Amino acid sequence: MKPWSDRLTLTASTEQVSRYMIKTILLSCALALTGYSSIAQAQLPSGKPSPAQQAMINRGYGMFIHFGINTFADVEWSDGTIPAEKYNPTQLDPDQWVRTARDAGFRYVLLITKHHDGFCLWDSKYTTYDVASSPVKTDVVRAVSDACKKYGLQFAIYYSLWDRHEPSYKSPDKQLYVNYMLHQLTELFTNYGNICELWLDGGWDRKPEEWGIEQVYQLVKKFNPNCAVSVNHTIVNEEGQRNFTLPSKMTEDNKYYFQYFPSDFRLWDPKLITRFDKKQYLHNGQSYYLPFEHTLCISNRWNWFEKSTQLPVRDLDELEELFYWCTDNNNCLVMNVPPDQTGRIREYQALAAIELGQRLGLSLKKPLPKNGRFISLQKTASASSVWHDKENIYAANAVNDGNLDSRWASSDTLASLEITLNPADAFNKISIFEYKDTKDLADGFSQARLPRIQAYAVDIQQNGHWDTIYLGDAPMGDCKVIRLPRRYQASRLRFRVTKATAPPSLYEISVIDMK
């Protein structure tokens, strides 16, 4: 899903070109038969959620499922040339996927139906690059949709705009490939029950206006007006320009613009919003309400398609705090829990997702849980040392600015940081996100994260006296959550590094009151 610079060029055989010409005629005829109208259903300017957006906000938490031809090649991306015969799950069990989602407390399942390689997880009339041409011909889209009905979850789909296999994609007439997409989406929206969300990806390979997003939006809304639709990298800094803005910058209403219009929500995989995320975005001088949907991997190596090698999952503390962060302020989260080459989710990953749901107390009958009250947010912070930079971007106040893209960095291996608190505010939880060094892995996509901080302490100041309330003698992990058995009040909190392999750096320290 993250674009690579070494994109491979498509090639088409004579047979493919012949098939393409025949399909072009069939597509045009099918468009007429579906009663497709050129009058698009409008997205209206608003300062509050539409019914589709409100339904999305109510869902809040979904399970992302990456599965396809890439799973069987041990890669994240492929160029559409892997033979369909390579797809061969030996124990394909979509029921297990959705049952895991139910047991973990997810509200919906978001299934990859076609990735950038063009391989389809259903028997599409418009391509032979699909499961019907593979050794295991099970219609995975149908199996997942049926399992969602069985277990009471909603069903959502991911569909790649970019297609590295389909011959019509190369045509100078961009509408020919748009027609191809419209017909595949018609198959999906007419044969698989209610679809609550359409997640589009790969838009960077063409100009935004060449994708026919208005036509796609209209088609989807014809079948389900309450289906939420969006394209990855939804928002930009300037109207009509691909000058991207990160979600962590979206802290002011009516400052940023649609890149893809219409869109019902914002996407920027896998970036995170801030605690001051705003919802109003501009198109042609009018303001539209847009929530944000986050994407995370349960793996701590940031891989989407499961590899043949087992990879560790994120720590439960990190998953919990990221859940709270991502579902706050009427935003949503989908977490990727991918099946392996057998066609099943590995048991240790399923258990991690289920354990998280149990810790959070998730239930379809209850609203999603919230974190406590942040009493340290934007309070005065100071550090014993700061990494030297001209723009002062590593200053101490980065640790409590509500932004996981900013960080404090020390210039010394042993360092401390203090945050001023209101002595009247009680707290019983401290959440710490550490910046880590990264090491690229052999797949060219995943990364291992390496801690710097090896030992540390947390002190509080009361009546001018410092007391240590936590002493850690092991690396803290990506996120350390300190749950205190009693509530404290203090004028200052101090984080001390007592052992480190390099100058320490923290994204965020949150002092929280969990009532």
Side-chain angles (χ1 to χ4, degrees):
M1 307 211 297
K2 176 183 175 183
W4 287 351
S5 58
D6 56 342
R7 296 171 187 156
L8 302 180
T9 303
L10 292 169
T11 60
S13 66
T14 302
E15 179 183 359
Q16 285 177 316
V17 173
S18 298
R19 286 175 52 238
Y20 153 70
M21 293 175 67
I22 294 170
K23 286 194 300 179
T24 300
I25 297 171
L26 292 174
L27 290 176
S28 299
C29 294
L31 278 173
L33 290 174
T34 58
Y36 186 78
S37 169
S38 61
I39 302 174
Q41 178 169 333
Q43 181 179 3
L44 300 177
S46 180
K48 61 181 182 180
S50 69
Q53 292 168 334
Q54 189 59 58
M56 179 183 183
I57 292 166
N58 293 343
R59 288 190 296 273
Y61 184 46
M63 187 167 87
F64 218 166
I65 299 178
H66 281 66
F67 186 69
I69 200 79
N70 294 342
T71 307
F72 301 88
D74 259 3
V75 297
E76 289 292 337
W77 287 20
S78 58
D79 64 359
T81 62
I82 298 174
E85 291 77 17
K86 184 78 171 177
Y87 173 89
N88 190 19
T90 55
Q91 302 176 55
L92 182 63
D93 192 356
D95 190 87
Q96 183 246 4
W97 309 351
V98 182
R99 188 169 66 252
T100 297
R102 178 204 62 184
D103 294 346
F106 291 103
R107 311 296 182 90
Y108 61 108
V109 168
L110 175 58
L111 174 69
I112 297 283
T113 62
K114 184 192 78 162
H115 204 249
H116 310 322
D117 47 77
F119 184 83
C120 298
L121 288 185
W122 78 101
D123 181 6
S124 175
K125 293 185 294 185
Y126 303 100
T127 185
T128 59
Y129 198 49
D130 59 15
V131 290
S133 300
S134 78
V136 180
K137 303 182 187 306
T138 301
D139 185 330
V140 176
V141 178
R142 183 171 304 284
V144 173
S145 174
D146 288 348
C148 284
K149 296 185 186 78
K150 176 180 176 181
Y151 293 114
L153 304 185
Q154 297 185 56
F155 180 50
I157 62 173
Y158 166 113
Y159 181 91
S160 175
L161 299 171
W162 188 24
D163 192 314
R164 305 175 80 178
H165 180 87
E166 167 54 33
S168 66
Y169 185 83
K170 297 187 305 175
S171 172
D173 183 355
K174 306 301 184 186
Q175 185 61 41
L176 291 180
Y177 178 69
V178 171
N179 289 348
Y180 175 81
M181 293 195 300
L182 293 172
H183 285 283
Q184 286 205 322
L185 290 169
T186 296
E187 288 182 320
L188 291 167
F189 275 86
T190 57
N191 294 328
Y192 299 98
N194 185 70
I195 295 173
C196 66
E197 179 181 315
L198 174 61
W199 206 110
L200 299 168
D201 196 15
W204 53 79
D205 197 53
R206 286 184 175 177
K207 296 177 181 179
E209 62 271 18
E210 294 177 343
W211 290 113
I213 298 301
E214 297 88 346
Q215 298 173 59
V216 170
Y217 190 87
Q218 170 196 334
L219 183 77
V220 170
K221 296 296 183 176
K222 181 181 75 171
F223 294 120
N224 181 7
N226 284 335
C227 178
V229 180
S230 189
V231 187
N232 201 6
H233 306 154
T234 323
I235 299 299
V236 290
N237 284 330
E238 302 172 73
E239 188 104 57
Q241 301 293 322
R242 280 200 159 165
N243 183 3
F244 296 118
T245 187
L246 295 175
S248 59
K249 301 293 185 181
M250 298 176 186
T251 57
E252 186 176 338
D253 281 329
N254 299 317
K255 181 177 180 180
Y256 302 110
Y257 300 86
F258 284 75
Q259 177 178 207
Y260 301 104
F261 185 89
S263 291
D264 293 317
F265 58 100
R266 288 171 287 144
L267 284 170
W268 184 292
D269 162 56
K271 299 297 184 179
L272 304 180
I273 52 84
T274 74
R275 295 192 61 80
F276 305 100
D277 177 63
K278 297 298 183 182
K279 297 295 192 292
Q280 297 301 131
Y281 296 86
L282 299 171
H283 178 67
N284 288 342
Q286 294 184 300
S287 178
Y288 298 81
Y289 181 95
L290 291 180
F292 189 86
E293 184 173 66
H294 297 85
T295 55
L296 290 175
C297 295
I298 196 168
S299 165
N300 73 359
R301 301 291 171 84
W302 193 49
N303 70 292
W304 298 104
F305 289 92
E306 192 62 287
K307 306 298 187 297
S308 55
T309 300
Q310 292 184 343
L311 297 175
V313 297
R314 294 176 186 260
D315 293 339
L316 199 60
D317 277 353
E318 182 188 18
L319 289 172
E320 180 181 10
E321 291 305 294
L322 287 175
F323 169 90
Y324 288 134
W325 193 282
C326 295
T327 58
D328 189 44
N329 190 20
N330 285 338
N331 289 317
C332 304
L333 167 64
V334 285
M335 185 166 69
N336 188 52
V337 188
D340 65 10
Q341 293 180 5
T342 68
R344 291 176 56 85
I345 294 171
R346 289 171 174 158
E347 193 65 14
Y348 75 94
Q349 293 189 330
L351 292 175
I354 293 168
E355 187 177 1
L356 173 63
Q358 291 175 344
R359 177 186 279 196
L360 292 166
L362 300 179
S363 169
L364 290 175
K365 299 179 180 179
K366 299 189 299 184
L368 294 178
K370 301 292 184 183
N371 214 338
R373 185 169 69 95
F374 283 52
I375 70 166
S376 57
L377 197 60
Q378 295 186 321
K379 293 290 197 298
T380 301
S382 60
S384 61
S385 69
V386 173
W387 188 264
H388 302 294
D389 68 280
K390 294 180 180 179
E391 298 178 356
N392 198 34
I393 60 173
Y394 298 115
N397 60 6
V399 300
N400 61 341
D401 62 355
N403 183 351
L404 288 175
D405 273 353
S406 65
R407 60 187 175 96
W408 161 67
S410 171
S411 59
D412 299 323
T413 303
L414 302 183
S416 64
L417 184 143
E418 296 183 15
I419 300 174
T420 299
L421 302 175
N422 182 348
D425 290 334
F427 63 93
N428 55 6
K429 175 181 169 181
I430 302 166
S431 171
I432 308 169
F433 285 92
E434 182 191 0
Y435 168 82
K436 289 188 172 185
D437 296 312
T438 58
K439 177 183 178 182
D440 292 337
L441 300 182
D443 64 3
F445 188 90
S446 306
Q447 293 179 326
R449 294 180 284 181
L450 308 174
R452 295 181 178 186
I453 299 173
Q454 304 296 308
Y456 56 98
V458 177
D459 311 321
I460 58 172
Q461 188 179 63
Q462 296 175 315
N463 301 318
H465 177 71
W466 286 101
D467 282 322
T468 300
I469 59 172
Y470 186 85
L471 187 66
D473 62 353
M476 68 172 57
D478 295 292
C479 177
K480 175 65 179 179
V481 177
I482 302 169
R483 296 173 179 86
L484 302 168
R486 60 176 58 154
R487 297 171 80 214
Y488 288 90
Q489 295 170 282
S491 57
R492 299 177 73 82
L493 180 137
R494 181 172 64 192
F495 177 82
R496 288 185 290 120
V497 179
T498 58
K499 182 180 180 182
T501 59
S505 182
L506 298 179
Y507 287 114
E508 198 82 358
I509 298 180
S510 300
V511 184
I512 303 168
D513 183 21
M514 297 290 293
K515 294 185 178 179

